[in-house]
Amino acid sequence: MGTNFQFSIFPGTTARRAGYGAGNFQTRAAAEPPCGFTLSCTSESKGFTLIELMVSVTLFIVVMLVAVGALLALVDANKKARALESVINNLNVSLDGMVRAIRMGSLYNCGGSSAPNPATGADCYLGLQRISFAPYGSDPSDDAERWTYYFSDGQIFRIRDGITSAITAPEVSISEMDFYVSGTKVRDIVQPKVVLVVKGEAGASEKTKSTFYIQATAVQRALDL
């Protein structure tokens, strides 16, 4: 009477010995090969496949490219806004100073540099690129004390005490500028008035340039009596 017993040779493989001491073994391979010879030991394997990993990395790259592009656009827009704000502030200060000086002055001469004939005046309804006037506190009869503003080569210049200087920044490119003057005849029923029209571009580079159009009005403060 023999004794049957089983022992394991490899994981998933069993060996059967029939008959105690008989010396003959019978082996039976399991339905599945050993764990070391398969890609997975169980049907419920964990982790990502290569395709899933490639899809995830591609989506991440696309999202990052879109986010970085939007960020760079915001930075460029911010730089443009700051540069334009600085240039426009400079232009506003220059024009405000000019309008204030014209308002406080007298004896406007549109297109000329000397004092006009009080009886006829020096109006210009069609607009000219130069104006002169007697500043506040000066001698109206002395042409050497007169101030002159004029437009040339894309900038606004001022002549004061014989010295010519630009009052606008190089980043401001003015394409058109005209002075419209009325009421310069002394003791008429019209108060002297100057309308200033300026058109141009502001910006340090092509990316930051913006077109502007400014109109300002200055009415002589001293009554024309």
Side-chain angles (χ1 to χ4, degrees), residues 9-70:
I9 299 177
F10 298 104
T13 305
T14 60
R16 180 186 298 275
R17 179 179 180 182
Y20 180 75
N24 57 335
F25 292 89
Q26 295 178 354
T27 62
R28 181 182 66 187
E32 295 182 356
C35 181
F37 297 96
T38 60
L39 295 177
S40 60
C41 296
T42 62
S43 60
E44 298 179 355
S45 59
K46 305 296 182 179
F48 298 98
T49 64
L50 181 60
I51 296 179
E52 292 174 339
L53 185 60
M54 292 177 63
V55 171
S56 301
V57 172
T58 302
L59 291 176
F60 175 76
I61 292 175
V62 171
V63 172
M64 289 301 298
L65 288 176
V66 173
V68 171

Side-chain angles (χ1 to χ4, degrees), residues 88-104 133 147 149 156 158 167-168 196 198 214-218:
I88 292 299
N89 286 340
N90 171 269
L91 180 62
N92 286 335
V93 170
S94 301
L95 293 181
D96 286 344
M98 178 173 59
V99 171
R100 188 182 303 111
I102 293 175
R103 183 184 299 115
M104 298 296 295
F133 58 94
W147 289 12
Y149 286 96
I156 302 176
R158 179 185 64 190
I167 64 172
T168 54
L196 169 66
V198 181
I214 300 176
Q215 178 176 324
T217 303

Side-chain angles (χ1 to χ4, degrees), residues 129 150-157 166 168-170 172-176:
Q129 298 178 347
Y150 67 96
F151 165 66
S152 178
D153 297 329
Q155 288 187 287
I156 302 176
F157 293 88
T168 54
V172 180
S173 177
I174 299 176
S175 57
E176 298 179 15

